[in-house]
Amino acid sequence: MRMEHSSWLQVQEYFKRKDTVLLPIGSTENHGSHMALGTDMLVPDYIAGEIDKELDILITPATPFGAADHHAAFPGSLSIGVDGLYMVLSRVCGDLFRYGARKFIFLNGHGGNSPALSRVGLELNQKGGLSAQLNWWTVAGELNPAWKGGHAAGEETAAMMAIWPQDVHMEDLMEFTPCDLGPGLGFVHGGTVDFEGISIPVVRSTEKFSQAGWYGKDHPKTATPEWGKEMLKATTDYFIRFIRTFEKVPL
């Protein structure tokens, strides 16, 4: 049940029956030179649509802005920061709580959003609610290690090839050359470096370690629509099973 296509009366009737809400949360940010800025919103919104076909669950409009300050050097990246996202979601969830929502499922497309989601979730729990974060790209990698990927690399590129192929421009792909922090401090991931075999968090803006805007061991060139379709279906099916179980949790 998509909220943007529902009337207030329909929403009122829903909350007489159910207390669970699904909130797709995204970001508008750099996804390499080859992929759309809205990837982190488009994928969760697609998954939400597939869930809507199977479950009786209220789904809010997808949030297009997130905490993406680290992508600011790439034109088109728009960030409301952790505090901004917290303020938006705390107000939205507060309204939903007032209408009858008690179980909140954040269908998340961007890792930078997690601190705000955790803060909102804790506050909801403290007043009698419960929340869960479904980070689609992480869950996909858990379901099948071959799908695990970096940022705007093979995993996300495959997902977009499957659902929005017109937004993938492989002809514009720039190669990624990892930029180490210094001798003995090699690049591992967006916010970590390797020291003596152990990953240490070192926060850097994306352009400091990737001029291309993407990074990861799963090269975008390995992506295929078939990979994306299989991955998104498996991930969606898992989420459906989770939601059915989560809805039964007593409060």
Side-chain angles (χ1 to χ4, degrees):
M1 179 178 174
R2 303 300 293 246
M3 182 177 283
E4 63 266 40
H5 295 293
S6 304
S7 69
W8 70 262
L9 184 60
Q10 291 171 316
V11 171
Q12 178 177 266
E13 291 302 313
Y14 174 83
F15 281 122
K16 290 179 181 179
R17 299 182 288 107
K18 306 286 290 287
D19 66 354
T20 304
V21 181
L22 181 69
L23 299 93
I25 312 294
S27 182
T28 300
E29 64 180 49
N30 150 61
H31 270 79
S33 55
H34 64 293
M35 206 153 52
L37 293 159
T39 294
D40 283 350
M41 181 197 72
L42 293 170
V43 178
D45 193 53
Y46 168 82
I47 294 174
E50 294 300 292
I51 292 173
D52 188 41
K53 297 175 183 178
E54 299 293 329
L55 298 180
D56 175 24
I57 186 170
L58 185 65
I59 303 172
T60 67
T63 301
F65 305 119
D69 294 354
H70 48 298
H71 291 299
F74 297 89
S77 298
L78 306 174
S79 177
I80 58 175
V82 172
D83 288 344
L85 182 60
Y86 163 76
M87 287 190 289
V88 169
L89 292 180
S90 63
R91 289 296 300 268
V92 168
C93 291
D95 282 347
L96 292 168
F97 194 95
R98 178 159 48 88
Y99 299 138
R102 292 297 180 270
K103 298 188 182 77
F104 301 77
I105 300 172
F106 299 120
L107 179 49
N108 185 33
H110 173 55
N113 294 341
S114 291
L117 300 182
S118 295
R119 182 178 173 187
V120 172
L122 179 59
E123 292 178 357
L124 287 169
N125 186 240
Q126 290 171 338
K127 64 178 185 177
L130 192 65
S131 74
Q133 292 182 43
L134 300 182
N135 299 318
W136 83 262
W137 73 99
T138 302
V139 170
E142 292 286 336
L143 291 172
N144 184 344
W147 295 338
K148 187 175 182 179
H151 174 73
E155 181 183 24
E156 287 191 295
T157 301
M160 286 295 285
M161 283 180 170
I163 61 174
W164 288 99
Q166 64 270 38
D167 290 341
V168 180
H169 303 279
M170 297 304 291
E171 70 276 10
D172 294 330
L173 176 67
M174 296 170 58
E175 285 298 329
F176 162 56
T177 302
C179 182
D180 294 340
L181 186 63
L185 298 170
F187 172 86
V188 175
H189 197 64
T192 56
V193 298
D194 175 87
F195 180 66
E196 296 182 357
I198 297 175
S199 294
I200 303 296
V202 178
V203 178
R204 291 188 285 170
S205 294
T206 304
E207 80 280 2
K208 300 292 180 62
F209 55 80
S210 173
Q211 292 296 313
W214 72 270
Y215 51 87
K217 296 180 180 179
D218 52 324
H219 199 288
K221 289 181 179 178
T222 64
T224 65
E226 293 73 25
W227 170 7
K229 291 174 183 176
E230 181 184 2
M231 174 176 64
L232 291 177
K233 185 179 187 311
T235 304
T236 299
D237 289 346
Y238 174 86
F239 288 162
I240 289 171
R241 297 195 303 273
F242 173 84
I243 292 169
R244 284 176 171 152
T245 303
F246 188 72
E247 285 185 306
K248 298 175 184 177
V249 175
L251 294 176

